[in-house]
Amino acid sequence: MSTLTRIARSRTVAALASPHGVDHYLSRINPMWAAHEVRARVVDVHRETDTPGAPVATLTLQPTATWRGHRAGQYVQVGLDLPGSARRMTRCFSISSAASGAGEQITLTVRSHAEGQVSKYLVDAEPGLVLHLSQAQGRFTLPVSPATPGIDPLLFITGGSGITPALSMVRTLLRDGYDGRAGRPVTFLHYARSEADQICADELARIAEDDNDVTVHLRHGDAVFNELELRRLAPGFRDTDTWACGPAGMIDLVRAAYGDSPRLRLELFKPPSAASGSAEGDLTFAGSDQRVANSGASILEQAEELGLRPEFGCRMGICFSCTTRKTEGTVRNVLSGAESSLPDEDIQICVSAPVGDCVVDL
Amino acid sequence: MKTTPKPTPKPTPKPTPKPTLTAEQLEAFGEEMDALRQRVLADLGEDDAAYIRTVVKRQQQLEVLGRALFYLPPAWPLAVGALSLSKIIENMEIGHNVMHGQYDWMGDPHLNSRIYDWDNVCPGEQWKYSHNYIHHTFTNILGKDRDIGYGILRMDEDQEWHPYYLGNPVYAFLLMVFFEWGVAMHDLEVENIVRGTRTMEDNKELHAGIMRKVRRQALKDYLLFPALTGPLFPLTFVGNATANLVRNVWAFNIIFCGHFPAGAETFSQDECADGPEGRETRGHWYYRQILGSANITGSPLFHVLSGNLSHQIEHHLFPDLPARRYPEIAPEVREICERYGIEYTTGPLRKQLGSVARKICRLALPDRRAPQPGTPEAVRRPLAA
């Protein structure tokens, strides 16, 4: 850490800059100066596929010096101030590049969705754009490396955009000198909607050709995951360290094939749930690991019903004491009737009722 | 169909009697308020975001200017002026409003009520509890709203007189000078410890939080910034203290004009039990917010410097709407109030200050009327009893 950074992070400077924080002043001078926050400048945008309606691009990001690096398989929260919108949008994206060190460049491989304002904007972004970033998060990671003793084979099962964390893991292994002599076969099984939708097709072909003990199986079109095929490609898969990432439907099939095998690690890509406008679905309290059938009452009341004791104040939506993070699903504000489906948003649980499935950090 | 109720004043000893609204009228009134709120909510957008960002930028510029001018001794009054202005804007238009959650919808962590902590010795976390929750939920309910007299003053006829209150004007003056300290201590509910309804143990954590914040504030204004000006240390020290004093005097006066001039009403707990199971209806809640608050008229700049608390009535109706919207909805709120015969108290700063000062002095002395029966015990006993 340079002396300047150490000064910028000191409590003395924090006291001088209060109440706004030193980063607020630094970013006014240069958006890439930060002492605590992470921001990143887009330095390159590369089109992967041109599928109409759902093109994919890989963005190369240069993070600020505050970036602590990531382990292969982790994701970041990207905050974007869209022009013309006063609301900062925050979305999660897996990092597609190999494991990074502090301050090193990373890549995000983003598929544009018709209704995804953030993904649409990012895929068409120009270099120079500055994004807000979180530090890397998530435990869907690769603990092994070429230096790790052992000859256990590895298996990746991915679907659609779920390929990105697996790409990061395979790229990390290969970059760090992984080859066939390690005696640790790697199987990469991926399902894409079509050949045109295949992300990083050239690179995957190259990896498959090289003498590196990595086998790549790409399935396009109507092919869906099935256990019989997996048994043929990876005999003894239930005893193989497996990372599976993709849409909910595929994950359900994979989960069924593995039964209760502890070797399977999962990461789910959930589509935004559609608002049903009625008391259907499940309300999940992630922090306390509890789930109830949505009764239609406010989230605060449903939590209390369950015996949880979340913080609250006015119980009428004015004091913000009960603000809690909703990570998934749709809620309706009982005062305004407004529905909101943004992932990772803060809601006042005293005046928010779930619409369909909903997950809150309680 | 909206009905225009006729105000039917009841002969009571209070100077401004409360109107009597039927349950239906209260409900219709509440619905009109809800509709107004929805209209503003639906309209929130870029202008509101741009506004608060500009205010933050101007405040930071004033602060940097003020701190820099301390290096030029002849410019000392200017430095104090710029820093005072910066501190006023930060506490009133930024801190108070951001910590109310008015800008949470922007998704900007820097303007988020859970993260922001203002330039004040009262820790934001504690203030949000005592102010956003207690004061804004139980506004002007005797025995529940601790902002009535801040636990040390007699600000309502229904607080029983005691010789201790002869010092009312002196306590008010001291509270004004040390306002931020008063606000910080407010949360410790010292008067309840004197009364024996609260223990020192209850305060341990709060006290630690206050001390952490006090250390940070003192470090900044009374050590680091003065030290950075080297030999000018004493001048900068006094300058920073003066800026804090100016901000205290300003904030005290704006806030006391918000709830205590003639026309602002207080409520008993029984009055706020008009709904099923003895709970207050939404209509009555809105009604109480209006009667319990008072506005101050003035220029747009005056409104910014008061954090739009010059629109105390609108703020109390809609504490989570961005404060810059209060001036534009005020005429409509006033029009609705007129139709329902609800008094809308407003006046220029001079008049409201005079009214508050008179009340502080008048209530220092015993009342000429007999005390009303049924006043909650907790309120009737003074702090020093």
Side-chain angles (χ1 to χ4, degrees):
Chain A
M1 211 194 309
S2 73
T3 318
L4 263 179
T5 317
R6 208 168 302 136
I7 292 171
R9 284 187 193 170
S10 67
R11 284 177 60 184
T12 312
V13 169
L16 292 174
S18 75
H20 294 294
V22 63
D23 278 344
H24 201 256
Y25 287 98
L26 288 177
S27 69
R28 287 211 186 282
I29 307 168
N30 182 333
M32 290 300 284
W33 287 359
H36 306 280
E37 294 168 19
V38 187
R39 290 183 287 268
R41 190 192 297 278
V42 175
V43 292
D44 182 61
V45 182
H46 168 72
R47 249 325 145 96
E48 296 285 351
T49 73
D50 260 327
T51 323
V56 176
T58 292
L59 288 85
T60 307
L61 305 181
Q62 175 57 59
T64 46
T66 41
W67 174 247
R68 291 200 289 258
H70 84 282
R71 282 176 289 148
Q74 288 191 299
Y75 64 89
V76 276
Q77 290 183 37
V78 175
L80 177 62
D81 298 316
L82 284 175
S85 165
R87 284 179 174 82
R88 177 174 301 172
M89 311 272 189
T90 305
R91 298 288 183 276
C92 295
F93 293 101
S94 290
I95 301 169
S96 53
S97 51
S100 65
E104 282 181 3
Q105 290 194 353
I106 55 170
T107 66
L108 302 179
T109 302
V110 179
R111 182 186 296 277
S112 160
H113 293 282
E115 277 143 40
Q117 284 171 283
V118 172
S119 63
K120 230 167 31 186
Y121 191 82
L122 287 179
V123 166
D124 291 322
E126 297 283 336
L129 176 73
V130 175
L131 307 169
H132 301 269
L133 235 56
S134 68
Q135 295 288 357
Q137 297 169 346
R139 277 174 289 186
F140 185 73
T141 53
L142 182 70
V144 292
S145 78
T148 314
I151 51 162
D152 300 335
L154 310 175
L155 173 57
F156 299 98
I157 306 170
T158 59
S161 308
I163 194 172
T164 44
L167 266 178
S168 176
M169 295 186 204
V170 172
R171 282 168 171 167
T172 306
L173 287 174
L174 293 172
R175 181 196 66 185
D176 294 350
Y178 180 91
D179 59 29
R181 284 175 290 283
R184 177 189 282 160
V186 174
T187 309
F188 195 107
L189 172 58
H190 177 69
Y191 296 86
R193 251 182 297 180
S194 71
E195 211 161 317
D197 268 319
Q198 180 61 54
I199 297 167
C200 304
D202 296 345
E203 184 184 354
L204 286 170
R206 212 163 44 242
I207 291 173
E209 271 168 35
D210 285 354
D211 173 25
N212 53 14
D213 223 0
V214 180
T215 348
V216 178
H217 305 282
L218 300 179
R219 298 288 178 268
H220 297 144
D222 297 333
V224 289
F225 172 86
N226 73 78
E227 194 185 327
L228 275 176
E229 188 186 25
L230 182 63
R231 208 179 288 166
R232 186 168 56 77
L233 296 174
F237 62 88
R238 281 199 190 94
D239 298 317
T240 306
D241 285 315
T242 306
W243 286 262
C245 181
M250 187 197 93
I251 292 295
D252 286 344
L253 295 172
V254 175
R255 216 198 300 251
Y258 274 77
D260 54 3
S261 165
R263 295 298 187 86
L264 178 65
R265 299 151 174 86
L266 292 173
E267 186 137 276
L268 203 57
F269 277 18
K270 280 213 182 105
S273 61
S276 66
S278 63
E280 288 168 359
D282 286 337
L283 174 59
T284 307
F285 298 102
S288 47
D289 210 14
Q290 300 217 51
R291 177 188 287 229
V292 286
N294 173 19
S295 70
S298 74
I299 294 176
L300 175 58
E301 287 168 33
Q302 297 197 47
E304 288 174 338
E305 191 77 10
L306 211 60
L308 302 178
R309 290 281 165 265
E311 205 174 306
F312 66 87
C314 64
R315 301 186 80 102
M316 56 189 294
I318 59 157
C319 78
F320 288 71
S321 303
C322 66
T323 304
T324 301
R325 180 139 291 207
K326 177 203 73 184
T327 51
E328 283 168 36
T330 301
V331 290
R332 191 184 71 256
N333 184 306
V334 297
L335 297 178
S336 65
E339 287 186 350
S340 148
S341 308
L342 296 177
D344 288 321
E345 71 175 330
D346 288 337
I347 56 167
Q348 291 169 272
I349 57 172
C350 70
V351 291
S352 295
V355 180
D357 289 337
C358 193
V359 184
V360 289
D361 276 346
L362 266 181
Chain B
M1 266 287 284
K2 283 167 193 124
T3 48
T4 310
K6 229 170 66 197
T8 47
K10 243 188 344 198
T12 70
K14 289 217 175 181
T16 46
K18 290 171 196 163
T20 319
L21 297 184
T22 64
E24 292 73 32
Q25 284 167 338
L26 264 183
E27 195 184 335
F29 164 73
E31 279 168 12
E32 287 200 51
M33 287 297 158
D34 277 336
L36 181 55
R37 174 191 160 79
Q38 281 329 311
R39 227 184 47 221
V40 179
L41 270 182
D43 189 48
L44 292 185
E46 241 186 313
D47 288 351
D48 303 277
Y51 171 80
I52 190 65
R53 292 205 166 111
T54 307
V55 171
V56 169
K57 193 169 174 179
R58 295 281 172 269
Q59 181 260 317
Q60 288 178 335
Q61 286 165 341
L62 275 170
E63 163 138 19
V64 171
L65 178 73
R67 304 283 187 195
L69 283 177
F70 278 120
Y71 289 89
L72 288 173
W76 190 86
L78 273 179
V80 174
L83 190 58
S84 302
L85 264 182
S86 157
K87 280 177 175 279
I88 284 171
I89 295 172
E90 194 284 325
N91 265 200
M92 310 289 282
E93 184 70 332
I94 303 170
H96 172 269
N97 292 337
V98 165
M99 284 154 65
H100 255 294
Q102 294 182 358
Y103 299 95
D104 278 13
W105 55 274
M106 286 170 62
D108 182 343
H110 183 247
L111 296 169
N112 185 288
S113 63
R114 294 167 93 185
I115 297 168
Y116 198 88
D117 193 356
W118 58 356
D119 177 57
N120 190 300
V121 292
C122 179
E125 206 50 52
Q126 295 181 21
W127 180 82
K128 278 185 283 182
Y129 175 80
S130 62
H131 180 86
N132 289 8
Y133 168 39
I134 300 290
H135 169 59
H136 272 273
T137 311
F138 307 112
T139 313
N140 282 27
I141 300 180
L142 281 161
K144 291 200 110 175
D145 181 2
R146 299 189 55 261
D147 279 25
I148 301 176
Y150 285 76
I152 49 175
L153 301 176
R154 182 167 181 248
M155 293 306 298
D156 194 89
E157 286 87 352
D158 288 341
Q159 289 171 279
E160 194 185 298
W161 186 81
H162 182 275
Y164 159 85
Y165 288 125
L166 285 169
N168 227 25
V170 179
Y171 312 145
F173 179 78
L174 290 174
L175 181 60
M176 173 175 80
V177 170
F178 299 104
F179 192 53
E180 61 174 325
W181 301 88
V183 172
M185 296 308 151
H186 180 231
D187 295 352
L188 294 176
E189 305 188 24
V190 176
E191 79 277 14
N192 288 333
I193 292 179
V194 174
R195 264 189 215 118
T197 53
R198 191 179 168 89
T199 67
M200 294 296 264
E201 195 61 28
D202 295 335
N203 275 357
K204 241 180 154 173
E205 209 176 304
L206 288 179
H207 188 258
I210 294 172
M211 288 322 289
R212 262 197 306 277
K213 192 74 194 287
V214 166
R215 270 197 299 274
R216 207 175 85 188
Q217 293 296 110
L219 178 73
K220 175 171 82 158
D221 279 336
Y222 302 127
L223 187 66
L224 290 176
F225 274 116
L228 282 173
T229 54
L232 299 171
F233 187 106
L235 270 182
T236 314
F237 179 96
V238 175
N240 290 351
T242 311
N244 279 329
L245 172 70
V246 170
R247 190 256 320 271
N248 280 349
V249 171
W250 177 259
F252 170 90
N253 282 298
I254 294 296
I255 289 158
F256 267 61
C257 285
H259 292 294
F260 305 126
E265 294 284 342
T266 55
F267 293 78
S268 71
Q269 298 184 27
D270 290 343
E271 282 177 281
C272 305
D274 64 319
E277 292 168 40
R279 286 170 69 167
E280 189 180 28
T281 59
R282 191 154 178 87
H284 192 274
W285 185 83
Y286 277 130
Y287 161 87
R288 172 162 58 83
Q289 300 306 322
I290 295 178
L291 282 187
S293 312
N295 280 7
I296 316 168
T297 53
S299 67
L301 178 65
F302 170 72
H303 293 319
V304 172
L305 293 182
S306 72
N308 276 299
L309 292 181
S310 46
H311 290 92
Q312 190 72 247
I313 295 177
E314 286 72 24
H315 174 58
H316 262 272
L317 287 170
F318 313 117
D320 57 337
L321 291 185
R324 69 179 285 268
R325 297 292 189 138
Y326 298 153
E328 79 184 39
I329 60 171
E332 199 167 334
V333 170
R334 199 168 177 168
E335 184 269 327
I336 297 173
C337 286
E338 270 166 25
R339 267 195 285 116
Y340 286 87
I342 300 170
E343 183 157 359
Y344 184 98
T345 307
T346 183
L349 186 61
R350 259 178 304 110
K351 183 187 142 212
Q352 304 296 65
L353 278 179
S355 175
V356 172
R358 271 193 302 281
K359 187 184 258 187
I360 290 172
C361 295
R362 180 166 47 84
L363 292 176
L365 302 170
D367 299 324
R368 266 161 266 166
R369 66 182 172 88
Q372 287 185 330
T375 314
E377 185 59 24
V379 184
R380 297 177 58 169
R381 223 181 320 156
L383 165 68

